[in-house]
Amino acid sequence: MTGRKALVLHGPNLNLLGTREPGVYGRATLAEVDRMVRDHARRLGWRVECRQSNFEGQLVDWLQGAEREGFAGVVFNPGAFTHYSLALRDAVAAIRVPVVEVHLSNVHGREEFRRQSVIAPVARGQISGFGPHSYLLGLDALARGARGRSTPRG
Ligand code: DQA
């Protein structure tokens, strides 16, 4: 047990997982995704806290507070904010805690507007298209980075 702690943030509309466009986002509910995330974190020897908000400012506050709250990294699905929220981009850029951007769907294979992420350039990396497993891969990336073997930024 390393005692490391990760913060998993879900953005807008992800509270509707399970019933929201199941052909795109699958049938797992947010509670089920969070259970998978917690089980995977345990296997990695990490603790995890999962939070969801439909509000941009709340997500900004959680990002700003991540270091103070003792989180070693953030796995972040910004939902539609991915594509236009400069406030979230600035928050990710402002903090020292590494942030991995994740998406359930493959944002690069959908509508044109989803191909742009304003978050990705300031995140450690982006994982997209593996359903709930995107979050688990995000945790793997944080755990790997924390062991000092991450690839360089940029
Ligand atoms: C999403 C992709 C976004 O484009 C969309 O607005 C979401 C979910 C995903 O996880 O695939 O809300 O972030």
Side-chain angles (χ1 to χ4, degrees), residues 12 20 25 77 79-80 83 103-105 107 110 114:
R20 175 193 181 199
Y25 298 115
N77 184 347
H83 313 299
H103 299 282
L104 295 148
S105 65
V107 290
R110 300 180 59 196
R114 293 187 204 275

